[in-house]
Amino acid sequence: MGSHRRLVPSGFDRGAAAALGVLSAAAAALGTVPAVAAPHDDTRSRVDRLYEEAEKATEAYNKADERADVLRGQVGDAQDRIARQQERLNSMREQLGSLAGAQYRSGGLDPTLALLFSDDPDDYLAKAAAIDRISSHQAGELKDLQDVMRQLAQERAEATKKLGELEKSRKAVASHKRTVEKKLAEARQLLNSLPDDERAGYDRSSRSGRDDLPDLGGALPTSGRAAAAVAAARSALGRPYVWGANGPSGFDCSGLMQWSYAQAGVALPRTSQAQRYAGRQVPLSQAQPGDLVTYRSDASHVGMYAGNGQVIHAPYPGAPVRYDPVGMMPGATVTRV
């Protein structure tokens, strides 16, 4: 997602310095605002702003949705532990009931009177010792029972807390979803108000498919996993932008990065903000294929460096996964996974 306008790139890989002129021309071809504003430029800038706001809300949605998934797993684990503790508690209660019955049957008569009426004092003393042992064992069982009951109460309290957090996260997901849909609906309405030729010009991608590949230079990925991720991202060229999606039929910006690295056996976090810190930071001038490039001060957009000053990314609704100049947006930072 993000603005279709392209800014001057601030850094490239080895051999990419010669691409400065190419990138400038690409920026111009993609609809850079002319010095004298055209009648519909204000509409286009508002669409850009709405797409940017929608993308920020999309990443917030992704974060809340990821949090909800984690909480659902934690609640499920807590419920399993509660069930096991309850089974243990029921079993201990049954054992204590048996011990209590045995003590009653064996020790229902006052020990002093039992000694007076006993025909065999030695036999009585043996029985009394057995009663003492039962009582001591029962005391230990009672303590264990109390411990299990405390653990069970704690598990239930924690599960209740997690359920409350899950409900808040679900509400956050719904709220962010409404925000995204509202921003996108406003953007579509504004785009539909443009003349057909201007709307088509806005939606025109720099390179949208495999048949029009840019010159990526001779830069090589820094690792096998980076090479596999680049290959996966290139295989997604032309697939649609779908907000909140992480493939394989559609992607938002961070979803494309997560899916591409998953094909290389690497688990990236879901949001662009978290992906920014999923590896080692390197200067933009040292970017290599497979590096993640995040944009804006809040890292609300992310793409993958492909070489020679180009990134692969999922731009915004209506624009497919494509190549664009690395300097397409401000605030670029590079992360090597």
Side-chain angles (χ1 to χ4, degrees):
M1 195 182 295
S3 171
H4 68 292
R5 297 190 176 91
R6 312 296 173 212
L7 303 183
V8 176
S10 56
F12 309 97
D13 60 31
R14 292 187 301 272
L20 280 170
V22 174
L23 294 179
S24 299
L30 286 167
T32 303
V33 178
V36 179
H40 297 287
D41 280 349
D42 181 61
T43 298
R44 294 170 62 140
S45 65
R46 287 167 62 193
V47 171
D48 286 343
R49 186 175 66 253
L50 285 167
Y51 275 150
E52 181 176 340
E53 292 171 355
E55 183 157 50
K56 293 178 180 180
T58 296
E59 291 306 298
Y61 166 89
N62 290 336
K63 182 178 181 180
D65 194 46
E66 184 178 45
R67 175 63 175 160
D69 285 342
V70 170
L71 287 169
R72 275 190 286 269
Q74 291 176 345
V75 167
D77 291 343
Q79 290 173 336
D80 289 342
R81 289 194 299 270
I82 288 171
R84 289 194 296 271
Q85 290 283 49
Q86 187 65 59
E87 289 178 1
R88 184 182 176 194
L89 184 62
N90 294 340
S91 177
M92 293 176 75
R93 281 174 171 163
E94 290 177 3
Q95 293 174 8
L96 283 170
S98 299
L99 287 172
Q103 183 180 15
Y104 177 79
R105 290 190 297 272
S106 301
L109 187 63
D110 184 350
T112 304
L113 294 176
L115 179 59
L116 291 174
F117 290 110
S118 177
D119 294 330
D120 185 351
D122 289 337
D123 180 58
Y124 164 77
L125 291 174
K127 291 179 180 180
I131 292 173
D132 288 341
R133 285 196 299 273
I134 290 173
S135 298
S136 176
H137 181 62
Q138 186 175 5
E141 290 291 315
L142 283 169
K143 183 179 182 304
D144 291 343
L145 180 65
Q146 290 173 337
D147 290 343
V148 172
M149 290 178 70
R150 280 194 293 268
Q151 292 172 10
L152 184 58
Q154 183 177 355
E155 291 282 358
R156 284 176 171 160
E158 290 178 359
T160 300
K161 180 181 177 182
K162 292 294 183 185
L163 283 169
E165 293 177 8
L166 177 58
E167 183 58 28
K168 289 182 181 178
S169 189
R170 284 172 174 165
K171 290 180 179 179
V173 168
S175 175
H176 292 310
K177 181 178 181 180
R178 288 192 297 270
T179 299
V180 173
E181 291 174 339
K182 179 181 177 182
K183 299 292 184 184
L184 295 181
E186 291 177 18
R188 282 193 296 269
Q189 185 175 7
L190 285 170
L191 280 174
N192 289 338
S193 71
L194 291 171
D196 291 343
D197 57 340
E198 291 196 26
R199 184 167 66 248
Y202 183 95
D203 291 334
R204 188 181 303 118
S205 63
S206 58
R207 296 178 179 89
S208 60
R210 300 185 190 87
D211 296 333
D212 187 23
L213 298 179
D215 178 10
L216 299 179
L220 298 175
T222 57
S223 66
R225 62 178 180 270
V230 171
R234 293 184 68 175
S235 75
L237 287 168
R239 296 182 194 175
Y241 181 100
V242 179
W243 76 267
N246 59 349
S249 57
F251 305 89
D252 61 21
C253 67
S254 57
L256 176 61
M257 300 302 103
Q258 186 184 51
W259 178 83
S260 296
Y261 263 99
Q263 309 316 300
V266 178
L268 287 184
R270 179 62 181 91
T271 67
S272 57
Q273 290 87 354
Q275 289 173 3
R276 180 179 185 176
Y277 300 104
R280 178 170 60 91
Q281 303 290 300
V282 298
L284 181 58
S285 60
Q286 297 177 17
Q288 295 293 307
D291 292 346
L292 303 180
V293 185
T294 53
Y295 294 93
R296 308 189 188 108
S297 59
D298 60 358
S300 56
H301 187 78
V302 62
M304 181 182 295
Y305 193 74
N308 201 27
Q310 299 288 318
V311 293
I312 301 174
H313 69 138
Y316 53 81
V321 174
R322 71 192 195 196
Y323 290 101
D324 271 321
V326 70
M328 62 184 175
M329 296 181 197
T333 61
V334 180
T335 301
R336 183 156 297 156
V337 178

